[in-house]
Amino acid sequence: GAVVSQHPSWVICKSGTSVKIECRSLDFQATTMFWYRQFPKQSLMLMATSNEGSKATYEQGVEKDKFLINHASLTLSTLTVTSAHPEDSSFYICSARVPTGGAYEQYFGPGTRLTVT
Amino acid sequence: SQQGEEDPQALSIQEGENATMNCSYKTSINNLQWYRQNSGRGLVHLILIRSNEREKHSGRLRVTLDTSKKSSSLLITASRAADTASYFCAPNQAGTALIFGKGTTLSVSS
């Protein structure tokens, strides 16, 4: 199957600083990637859809100025959490979409655990 | 996009037993996908079943889809301790992002 990587796998930052998370498709090109967030013992929540070369589409309730998404190439999307606060501490997971005979499969990265102190 | 509703929320079985989890959804779909998530990890794609398919197999996994009842099931045969994880279904219209429900937490004890 398709491989998606994320970096870093975990990060600790101080309140008020910004953190960048990278998502790469390693063996395929992804015109569309997605960013999810997962709080402990909860399901994944879709944050935004990232399309290569265009602005991301954010889900309702997700602040686009706080969660900056850049999808500058077909293999890389980045999520920057700006002015992070402790409530932003979460597990961030990216996903890339792969066309499969008229449908799309989504492949997920291993996730990035962000802790804001 | 729509999320599926998995049932049961939690399932505990012994190694070697079969595990069955169900998924229901509300509106018509193009396909339905099943995923596994081990604690603290990303999701692993298990199977995609298209709306015109009724059953699909992959190793010890068997997925069924009943579009008339808007439901799907995932059967894991001869469970192993390594199957312990959360399982999610994702009903999908073509081209939309996957939305996830609460999942089924499977615990397989040896």
Side-chain angles (χ1 to χ4, degrees), chain A residues 8 12 17 25 37 47 52 58-59 61 67 79 85 95 98-99 102 104 107 109:
Chain A
I12 302 172
T17 62
S25 56
R37 179 168 56 179
M47 297 176 68
E52 188 266 337
Y58 291 81
E59 295 298 301
F67 299 99
L79 168 68
H85 290 283
S95 173
V98 177
Y104 289 95
Y107 289 88

Side-chain angles (χ1 to χ4, degrees), chain B residues 68-99:
Chain B
S68 67
K69 294 181 179 178
K70 294 186 173 56
S71 67
S72 174
S73 69
L74 170 66
L75 168 68
I76 304 174
T77 60
S79 297
R80 305 167 182 168
D83 295 326
T84 295
S86 291
Y87 292 81
F88 298 91
C89 70
N92 190 232
Q93 287 85 32
T96 59
L98 297 183
I99 306 295

Side-chain angles (χ1 to χ4, degrees), chain B residues 45-83:
Chain B
H45 187 270
L46 297 177
I47 282 185
L48 179 152
I49 186 165
R50 291 177 171 76
S51 60
N52 61 354
E53 298 176 309
R54 291 296 167 258
E55 188 171 309
K56 206 162 182 180
H57 297 254
S58 176
R60 294 182 297 112
L61 306 181
R62 172 177 167 252
V63 167
T64 63
L65 178 64
D66 186 335
T67 53
S68 67
K69 294 181 179 178
K70 294 186 173 56
S71 67
S72 174
S73 69
L74 170 66
L75 168 68
I76 304 174
T77 60
S79 297
R80 305 167 182 168
D83 295 326

Side-chain angles (χ1 to χ4, degrees), chain B residues 15-30:
Chain B
E15 259 192 331
E17 294 180 340
N18 296 341
T20 300
M21 49 205 88
N22 304 296
C23 170
S24 60
Y25 57 93
K26 290 187 166 58
T27 63
S28 63
I29 59 173
N30 173 275

Side-chain angles (χ1 to χ4, degrees), chain A residues 3-99:
Chain A
V3 179
V4 177
S5 70
Q6 277 183 246
H7 178 81
S9 55
W10 60 270
V11 58
I12 302 172
C13 72
K14 292 188 176 180
S15 190
T17 62
S18 295
V19 173
K20 180 186 283 190
I21 302 170
E22 293 185 349
C23 176
R24 293 181 186 273
S25 56
L26 296 187
D27 51 359
F28 65 101
Q29 293 183 328
T31 55
T32 303
M33 291 185 174
F34 305 95
W35 287 95
Y36 294 81
R37 179 168 56 179
Q38 185 177 36
F39 292 107
K41 297 195 185 302
Q42 293 188 22
S43 187
L44 279 75
M45 290 184 58
L46 178 66
M47 297 176 68
T49 299
S50 167
N51 292 300
E52 188 266 337
S54 65
K55 290 184 179 180
T57 303
Y58 291 81
E59 295 298 301
Q60 194 171 10
V62 178
E63 299 174 61
K64 62 180 181 180
D65 294 329
K66 181 169 184 62
F67 299 99
L68 301 179
I69 291 172
N70 185 286
H71 193 161
S73 80
L74 289 171
T75 59
L76 174 64
S77 176
T78 60
L79 168 68
T80 301
V81 183
T82 62
S83 187
H85 290 283
E87 56 265 31
D88 298 323
S89 298
S90 188
F91 192 52
Y92 292 87
I93 307 174
C94 72
S95 173
R97 191 169 73 176
V98 177

